[in-house]
Amino acid sequence: MTPASRLKKLSNYIFECAHLLYWIYFQPYTLKKWLQQIDPDLQPNDNPYLELKKNPHNRGLQRYAGQVFWLTIITPQLAVFIVGVIYFVTTKESFDWLDSETFLLGWAIGQIILRFGSVIWGSKFQFWALGVLILFIIVSQFLGGVASGVASGVTSGVAFGITLGVTSGAAFGVTFGVTFIFGVLRVYFWLPELLWMGWLFLSTSKGRFARNLKYLPPYYDQIIHLPLPFISTMIVKAYRENPAVARKTINYLINSTNQKQVATKATINIALDILARCATINAIAAIPEQLAWIPSYSTETNNVLPQLLDISRTVQSAEMATSPYRKSEILKQTVNSLTQLQTSLALVKNPAVANVAGNIVQSWLGILETAQDILKDQSRYAQEIPQVYIAGASLEPETAKNRFKGRQDLFREIEN
């Protein structure tokens, strides 16, 4: 193998490690799908060292375990180095590298024993080197695998090493607590994502929302614990431009991120937006087909959305009626249902949903009442033919007089 090919092979390996680290922190759902290609039973929480002992001939698993090993050792070193430099530049004080590197050295030796030796002895060595606090890391490394091994090694190792180098005494507990909370909530990543989301929404002009959905933070960070504004609003606006792209984004949020609540909110807002933009009776009747892809969210909307969908189905059946009289009678039912729904909106817990639903009900009432008045005028000249069949004994003189004679008036009415 030539030096150039070796260098290329090394660069590819480093790129794969960096890509794996990105998946671990930002795209665990993608990581899970990728691991299942290596082994259908392999999960992100499985310890790759233990899995490799069970299946030593799996080349993909061998490469994966090796990448986890190097990431677990090198990533904390790089992170502490970067933080140490930033600390020195900002405070002009020396960073205590000895304590931090002592911690990381013990961690690295423990990882070497875990990788090439006994898992149990490696755990004991790490416990001795890092103290009681690091027991959590060891347990998670023994049971957790890559997701907890790498993530715990980086977050807990960096937090512990930094606080040793920066603080001491009572301040240690406060600093560690703040660092731990910030690490768990991923505040370091959320702050730039928050700024990016605000800029993305404010800079997106009308007609480009569907095109810019691919730049939403969840596409790059699948685990976002703190809320980000404007995501559901952008999806609603994008649905007006390109329903297929908006629905694809909703499916991605539900199946590949922890943003299911955001996807649910966007779905409900899309439904309410479509209902609010109905300006004709035909538009109301077309609602069931337009929203066939949306499940019923009775809990989130206090049953408002399902009721409006039921009313639209009734309007649809009215449109299919064969006479103006029957259409008018069916629309009368929908007007009564809307009036009852308007009264019950006071019980809706979500004020925003109640406000939007109130405007929808008011608009629909105007549309349907106008249509009903027009149908009433038409039905005066085309009323239903009344039932003229008289049941009973055929030969009773008192009631049989209209059954066998004198039907000319009935024939004329049918002809007319």
Side-chain angles (χ1 to χ4, degrees):
M1 183 179 296
T2 64
S5 60
R6 290 178 181 176
L7 181 61
K8 183 178 180 180
K9 184 177 180 180
L10 177 61
S11 62
N12 290 338
Y13 189 82
I14 294 175
F15 176 79
E16 290 178 6
C17 290
H19 203 184
L20 178 60
L21 181 64
Y22 171 71
W23 280 350
I24 291 168
Y25 271 100
F26 297 103
Q27 295 195 332
Y29 294 89
T30 303
L31 173 65
K32 182 178 180 179
K33 295 178 182 178
W34 179 73
L35 291 179
Q36 290 178 347
Q37 296 178 6
I38 297 176
D39 188 333
D41 298 327
L42 185 61
Q43 298 294 326
N45 289 333
D46 292 339
N47 190 309
Y49 308 147
L50 294 178
E51 296 300 321
L52 186 58
K53 293 180 183 298
K54 300 177 184 177
N55 191 4
H57 301 293
N58 188 324
R59 297 179 64 92
L61 185 57
Q62 292 174 4
R63 193 174 185 85
Y64 169 61
Q67 291 169 344
V68 170
F69 170 73
W70 287 113
L71 284 175
T72 310
I73 290 181
I74 296 177
T75 306
Q77 296 281 353
L78 294 176
V80 170
F81 174 77
I82 294 173
V83 173
V85 172
I86 294 175
Y87 174 78
F88 174 75
V89 172
T90 55
T91 64
K92 304 300 181 183
E93 297 180 5
S94 61
F95 185 81
D96 192 347
W97 296 100
L98 179 60
D99 288 338
S100 299
E101 291 302 322
T102 301
F103 164 77
L104 293 176
L105 177 61
W107 173 252
I109 295 175
Q111 287 299 317
I112 293 173
I113 297 176
L114 282 171
R115 175 67 177 88
F116 300 103
S118 169
V119 175
I120 298 178
W121 280 107
S123 299
K124 289 182 178 180
F125 185 88
Q126 286 185 326
F127 175 77
W128 172 80
L130 306 179
V132 177
L133 181 62
I134 312 305
L135 180 61
F136 170 76
I137 306 175
I138 307 310
V139 174
S140 63
Q141 177 64 23
F142 182 70
L143 298 177
V146 60
S148 57
V150 177
S152 298
V154 176
T155 56
S156 301
V158 171
F160 192 79
I162 292 173
T163 49
L164 280 178
V166 176
T167 63
S168 60
F172 171 80
V174 176
T175 306
F176 180 79
V178 172
T179 306
F180 179 76
I181 292 173
F182 271 51
V184 170
L185 296 180
R186 300 165 64 90
V187 177
Y188 311 112
F189 308 128
W190 175 77
L191 288 175
E193 290 168 350
L194 176 64
L195 296 175
W196 170 255
M197 190 64 234
W199 181 87
L200 180 64
F201 178 76
L202 295 176
S203 63
T204 301
S205 58
K206 186 177 180 180
R208 297 181 61 89
F209 284 97
R211 186 180 303 178
N212 287 346
L213 283 184
K214 60 185 177 182
Y215 300 117
L216 291 177
Y219 274 108
Y220 305 96
D221 185 0
Q222 296 175 342
I223 303 295
I224 302 176
H225 297 298
L226 297 177
L228 289 175
F230 308 127
I231 293 182
S232 61
T233 304
M234 280 196 66
I235 295 176
V236 174
K237 292 180 179 294
Y239 189 88
R240 298 178 184 177
E241 302 169 1
N242 192 327
V245 172
R247 289 177 59 179
K248 182 179 179 181
T249 300
I250 291 174
N251 291 334
Y252 172 78
L253 294 178
I254 292 175
N255 298 316
S256 299
T257 72
N258 64 341
Q259 303 296 310
K260 293 181 176 61
Q261 291 185 350
V262 175
T264 300
K265 181 180 178 181
T267 303
I268 294 173
N269 289 340
I270 287 173
L272 293 176
D273 181 65
I274 293 175
L275 298 177
R277 289 188 290 115
C278 290
T280 63
I281 188 172
N282 291 332
I284 297 176
I287 289 296
E289 283 72 24
Q290 293 186 46
L291 301 184
W293 62 277
I294 296 180
S296 177
Y297 291 108
S298 59
T299 301
E300 291 82 355
T301 60
N302 288 78
N303 213 33
V304 171
L305 181 56
Q307 290 186 63
L308 288 172
L309 291 176
D310 289 341
I311 291 172
S312 68
R313 294 187 186 96
T314 306
V315 174
Q316 188 180 59
S317 64
E319 287 291 284
M320 298 172 62
T322 57
S323 68
Y325 176 80
R326 289 300 303 160
K327 291 181 179 180
S328 176
E329 289 296 310
I330 296 175
L331 288 184
K332 183 178 180 180
Q333 301 175 14
T334 63
V335 170
N336 293 336
S337 299
L338 283 172
T339 304
Q340 295 176 4
L341 177 58
Q342 191 175 40
T343 304
S344 66
L345 289 178
L347 303 177
V348 176
K349 297 179 181 179
N350 191 326
V353 172
N355 183 46
V356 174
N359 294 333
I360 294 172
V361 171
Q362 191 65 35
S363 175
W364 283 21
L365 277 174
I367 295 171
L368 296 181
E369 286 175 347
T370 301
Q372 189 183 19
D373 292 338
I374 295 174
L375 291 171
K376 281 183 178 179
D377 293 336
Q378 295 176 355
S379 64
R380 293 177 182 176
Y381 307 100
Q383 293 184 357
E384 282 192 331
I385 300 174
Q387 175 62 264
V388 297
Y389 175 75
I390 302 175
S394 302
L395 301 179
E396 287 186 6
E398 299 296 330
T399 60
K401 57 183 179 179
N402 290 328
R403 292 198 181 99
F404 298 100
K405 61 181 180 179
R407 292 186 175 182
Q408 289 80 2
D409 56 337
L410 298 180
F411 290 132
R412 293 193 191 98
E413 185 173 354
I414 292 174
E415 289 174 353
N416 293 333

